[in-house]
Amino acid sequence: MTSAIVSVSKESRLFDPPAEFSVRAKIGSREVYEGMYRRSIEDPDGFWGEVAAELYWFDPPKTVRQWDPPKARWFEGGTTNLAYNCLDRHVTAGAGEKRALVFEGEPGDIRTFTYAELLRETCRTANALRRLGVSAGDRVVIYMGMVPEAAIAMLACARIGAIHSVIFGGFAADAVRDRVNDAGAKLIITQDGAWRRGKVVPLKEQVDRALTSCPSVEHTIVLRRTHNEIVMQPGRDHEWSVVVDRASDQCDAVPVTSEHPLFILYTSGTTGKPKGVLHTTGGYMVGTYVTTKYVFDLRDDDIYWCTADVGWVTGHSYIVYGPLANRATALMYEGAPNYPEPDRFWDVIARHKVTVFYTAPTAIRAFIRWGDAHPRRHDMSSLRLLGSVGEPINPEAWMWYRDVIGGGRCPIVDTWWQTETGAIMMAPLPGAIATKPGSCTLPFFGVVPKIVRHDGSDAEPNEGGYLVIEQPWPSMLRTVWGDDERFRQTYFSRFPGRYFTGDGARRDNDGYFWVMGRVDDVVNVAGHRLGTAEIESVLVAHPNVAEAAVVGRPDELKGQALVAFVTLKADVNATDELREQLADHVAAEIGKFARPDAIRFADALPKTRSGKIMRRLLGELASGQAPKGDTTTLEDISVLAALRDDDE
Ligand code: 7RM
């Protein structure tokens, strides 16, 4: 397929940064942004060297970047420790009494950790790991829910140079086993269970099942959270309350080289086998630190809340490492957004006086579906900045987020990035860049994104194409764990010498980027290559629609025909008339060629654990095939079964 990806979006609203926001912002104008951006590209060594110098190094780096595509090395000669930078650095500077983490459990329990307390707990955990035979370079799997001990476990690994691999707590035994074995983990940190909608997710039970075929694992550490009954295997399984709580709270941070591996995080590939994305210490530290600083424009008194799970990269970079490196106060919430009621998030924001709130479009669309009454009941005037991540955000959801959650006064930072990029790559700096609903706007410092055609040549403005990154950046992945060849193949072979993101996008006349979703999700209808996200966005703009996923199915005449899976808002009836209306609506908004051939109503759409719609599965369903390939990342397998039953 060589034709360009057609972009059909007509969004043209523009929102300037509020003046009162800009005056207090770290970067308060487009000019300042542009000056810094230019410097970061023209003099990357100078720019990144200065950012790195804001952090602590036991030995300062001798060089800034070395680029031998696809291999990058940053801050060579430097030794540092990320846990030291997140904890000791602030305690030493006299901020030990500042709140680092505020935790709210789903049952309503609240626990607060100052920087000094978080440091002591991290030291205890690090000592426990050492006692159980873990040393620098060993892999430790963290399979937990959203509890402070998950962050503490990550920091403890970083402190002694062990490589952590967090596995999302929603995965079951088989997925745990595959990841543990791929990483060759020596130890697993887990919990008896995690709270989710008032029920116990039995984590330890899954670990027990996985461990029947994980020869590398010698020990587990088990935190008691839900107090469900579990089996402890003597000699192998250890109580957190014993091995951690009784350990010394003194443990020096180990200086590691800049390129020392920090963590592996598994992401689903297009083939069955998950990829272990490897991040290393210095570059990841600098990247998450500086993006958090400028994109969230953190102030000393902010209460910052990112709703992601620590089991995915947003939790790593923007709950734990980025905020703590910036000496922020981060809120962590354990449970579901609709427990006990659909207003839980707004209740949390009001009670904790959250100032910066970072969540995902899939959550925003659920909130819209649940109704405005829930947020309207709460005083959310503490909020000053909103963020979005994970998927393209459709303009309707963006406007709702701005008006109903942000009270029309908070800038929205739509942040585009990936597990592989480690840190935010494109986003508006909130005091400097005017926003457009649905656009992640402009690149962050040091990032050189390009839209290219099939043959690698530059696309014109507004011409849809493939999103690539031209220069290395500090927090880029270094390899796929144990598989350099897959790393090169996946990211650097499609456009040699450039990093291929796998996303389709366009750049508008103002230079703003609009990400249209994965190129695997592009559909070719009668020679028009359409990004499905844009058609979905039009569907969701219809007052009766809560969520939509558009996929292609083979069609003799048109090559592919469009099939739309649609979730309706509460109280709306699924009728044939509505089906016609929706198809007409798409035809009217985009053009007749984009009129879906079929619209299928669904109670829910299949999503990954992090909330992304799994269009691949829907495409297989729409083509009349049984879903094949990896379904282990599916959040709720019954959703798929329900859709299939519908077929009959
Ligand atoms: C952080 C994260 C990465 C993929 C990426 C995109 C999509 C993420 C946005 C977005 C449009 C955004 N890591 N994506 N953020 N698309 N606008 N602001 O999500 O590895 O899990 O996913 O997510 O397709 O390639 S991830």
Side-chain angles (χ1 to χ4, degrees):
M1 239 178 278
T2 53
S3 58
I5 303 168
V6 184
S7 172
V8 295
S9 162
K10 295 177 189 143
E11 182 56 50
S12 62
R13 286 168 284 200
L14 185 74
F15 295 92
D16 283 324
E20 60 288 4
F21 194 102
S22 297
V23 283
R24 289 192 57 189
K26 292 203 162 62
I27 298 177
S29 73
R30 172 105 186 209
E31 292 63 47
V32 175
Y33 159 77
E34 269 166 11
M36 287 175 75
Y37 180 74
R38 206 172 314 119
R39 161 118 200 274
S40 74
I41 303 306
E42 286 166 6
D43 176 20
D45 283 17
F47 180 87
W48 289 112
E50 282 168 26
V51 176
E54 292 176 28
L55 294 157
Y56 183 82
W57 299 80
F58 296 95
D59 303 294
K62 293 202 172 64
T63 61
V64 173
R65 71 171 196 169
Q66 281 159 292
W67 181 221
D68 180 11
K71 292 287 184 177
R73 303 183 70 83
W74 284 83
F75 309 118
E76 288 255 88
T79 61
T80 186
N81 185 291
L82 185 44
Y84 185 95
N85 273 285
C86 288
L87 301 169
D88 311 57
R89 190 163 63 91
H90 310 313
V91 174
T92 309
E97 295 314 305
K98 181 173 177 180
R99 290 182 303 170
L101 265 190
V102 178
F103 168 75
E104 176 159 320
E106 196 184 71
D109 50 322
I110 292 171
R111 274 195 292 163
T112 297
F113 295 81
T114 64
Y115 273 95
E117 287 165 345
L118 200 59
L119 172 57
R120 286 199 290 273
E121 293 311 311
T122 298
C123 288
R124 284 202 174 92
T125 311
N127 283 325
L129 289 173
R130 279 212 173 120
R131 279 277 292 278
L132 293 171
V134 174
S135 52
D138 288 341
R139 275 80 63 205
V140 172
V141 157
I142 300 173
Y143 177 61
M144 303 181 85
M146 285 286 288
V147 291
E149 287 81 358
I152 291 166
M154 292 163 74
L155 290 161
C157 289
R159 193 164 191 84
I160 60 173
I163 306 168
H164 61 68
S165 183
V166 181
I167 300 177
F168 175 70
F171 281 120
D174 283 7
V176 174
R177 180 202 56 208
D178 291 350
R179 288 159 175 76
V180 166
N181 286 337
D182 188 80
K186 208 170 181 182
L187 186 142
I188 301 185
I189 307 181
T190 189
Q191 300 167 217
D192 47 1
W195 288 120
R196 190 77 186 173
R197 287 198 187 84
K199 298 208 176 65
V200 172
V201 182
L203 296 176
K204 175 61 162 63
E205 202 181 296
Q206 300 296 328
V207 169
D208 290 343
R209 270 198 236 155
L211 286 190
T212 57
S213 40
C214 295
S216 60
V217 175
E218 295 168 10
H219 295 284
T220 77
I221 299 178
V222 184
L223 175 80
R224 299 280 178 163
R225 169 66 182 153
T226 47
H227 303 284
N228 51 314
E229 209 171 301
I230 54 170
V231 182
M232 295 288 282
Q233 191 180 104
R236 185 192 74 181
D237 299 339
H238 308 270
E239 300 279 355
W240 179 287
S241 62
V242 176
V243 290
V244 174
D245 291 353
R246 294 188 197 161
S248 155
D249 64 5
Q250 300 291 313
C251 172
D252 286 343
V254 174
V256 297
T257 58
S258 182
E259 285 298 337
H260 184 75
L262 177 68
F263 68 82
I264 303 166
L265 186 58
Y266 286 88
T267 131
S268 50
T270 37
T271 65
K273 194 179 184 300
K275 293 190 290 265
V277 168
L278 181 75
H279 283 287
T280 58
T281 304
Y284 177 84
M285 168 174 85
V286 168
T288 52
Y289 162 75
V290 73
T291 49
T292 306
K293 173 175 171 178
Y294 291 125
V295 176
F296 298 109
D297 192 47
L298 287 182
R299 300 177 190 161
D300 190 42
D301 57 357
D302 270 322
I303 309 288
Y304 163 94
W305 183 21
C306 166
T307 69
D309 193 283
V310 287
W312 66 298
V313 73
T314 306
H316 285 58
S317 301
Y318 298 108
I319 296 179
V320 182
Y321 292 120
L324 295 179
N326 279 278
R327 199 188 291 178
T329 299
L331 187 108
M332 187 176 188
Y333 167 62
E334 178 180 41
N338 54 353
Y339 189 85
E341 296 297 330
D343 68 343
R344 181 61 181 266
F345 275 14
W346 323 130
D347 182 45
V348 168
I349 289 175
R351 277 187 290 105
H352 293 279
K353 302 207 167 19
V354 171
T355 58
V356 180
F357 180 64
Y358 189 31
T359 195
T362 182
I364 297 169
R365 288 189 295 264
F367 303 144
I368 297 173
R369 194 175 183 201
W370 295 337
D372 294 11
H374 299 293
R376 297 239 190 257
R377 248 201 313 280
H378 297 276
D379 174 9
M380 297 197 282
S381 57
S382 55
L383 289 173
R384 65 178 195 89
L385 179 63
L386 303 174
S388 171
V389 61
E391 283 186 291
I393 179 166
N394 48 296
E396 287 316 302
W398 196 98
M399 289 303 298
W400 183 90
Y401 196 27
R402 179 186 146 87
D403 293 340
V404 179
I405 305 306
R409 102 196 142 260
C410 306
I412 297 177
V413 289
D414 175 359
T415 62
W416 179 87
W417 60 294
Q418 308 177 298
T419 304
E420 292 87 343
T421 69
I424 293 168
M425 300 291 276
M426 293 196 268
L429 300 184
I433 307 298
T435 53
K436 303 183 185 188
S439 168
C440 59
T441 74
L442 300 174
F444 190 76
F445 305 131
V447 176
V448 186
K450 275 267 163 70
I451 315 284
V452 298
R453 300 189 182 117
H454 194 260
D455 62 2
S457 61
D458 287 355
E460 295 291 323
N462 283 320
E463 180 183 338
Y466 302 89
L467 178 62
V468 301
I469 313 289
E470 297 227 305
Q471 297 289 325
W473 62 98
S475 64
M476 70 193 289
L477 82 165
R478 298 302 195 260
T479 191
V480 170
W481 180 254
D483 202 343
D484 265 350
E485 183 46 30
R486 193 174 179 196
F487 165 67
R488 202 195 56 76
Q489 261 293 326
T490 311
Y491 304 106
F492 289 92
S493 68
R494 181 70 186 74
F495 301 102
R498 301 188 271 192
Y499 171 83
F500 178 41
T501 64
D503 282 351
R506 78 183 159 97
R507 192 166 197 183
D508 70 17
N509 287 323
D510 300 329
Y512 277 42
F513 286 85
W514 299 76
V515 174
M516 307 189 314
R518 312 293 300 166
V519 289
D520 317 340
D521 299 331
V522 167
V523 178
N524 194 327
V525 185
H528 305 280
R529 298 195 71 211
L530 299 168
T532 52
E534 292 185 344
I535 306 169
E536 290 159 8
S537 170
V538 165
L539 280 164
V540 177
H542 189 280
N544 291 348
V545 175
E547 190 150 50
V550 172
V551 299
R553 77 165 174 224
D555 184 276
E556 274 182 24
L557 233 54
K558 297 187 272 191
Q560 280 185 301
L562 294 175
V563 180
F565 291 80
V566 169
T567 310
L568 297 172
K569 288 211 180 122
D571 312 327
V572 177
N573 290 326
T575 61
D576 286 342
E577 198 190 330
L578 181 56
R579 217 175 248 130
E580 284 303 305
Q581 257 185 38
L582 293 177
D584 290 346
H585 170 69
V586 174
E589 290 291 314
I590 301 178
K592 283 212 177 83
F593 65 96
R595 191 176 201 281
D597 270 33
I599 291 191
R600 291 170 59 169
F601 294 119
D603 288 337
L605 300 174
K607 290 187 184 165
T608 65
R609 315 273 172 178
S610 59
K612 298 189 214 299
I613 298 170
M614 293 178 82
R615 291 179 188 76
R616 176 176 56 81
L617 295 178
L618 290 172
E620 288 162 0
L621 268 177
S623 321
Q625 307 162 13
K628 47 185 187 293
D630 187 21
T631 51
T632 59
T633 54
L634 188 62
E635 202 224 341
D636 178 0
I637 197 95
S638 68
V639 167
L640 202 58
L643 284 168
R644 217 178 324 174
D645 293 345
D646 262 17
D647 241 1
E648 260 96 79

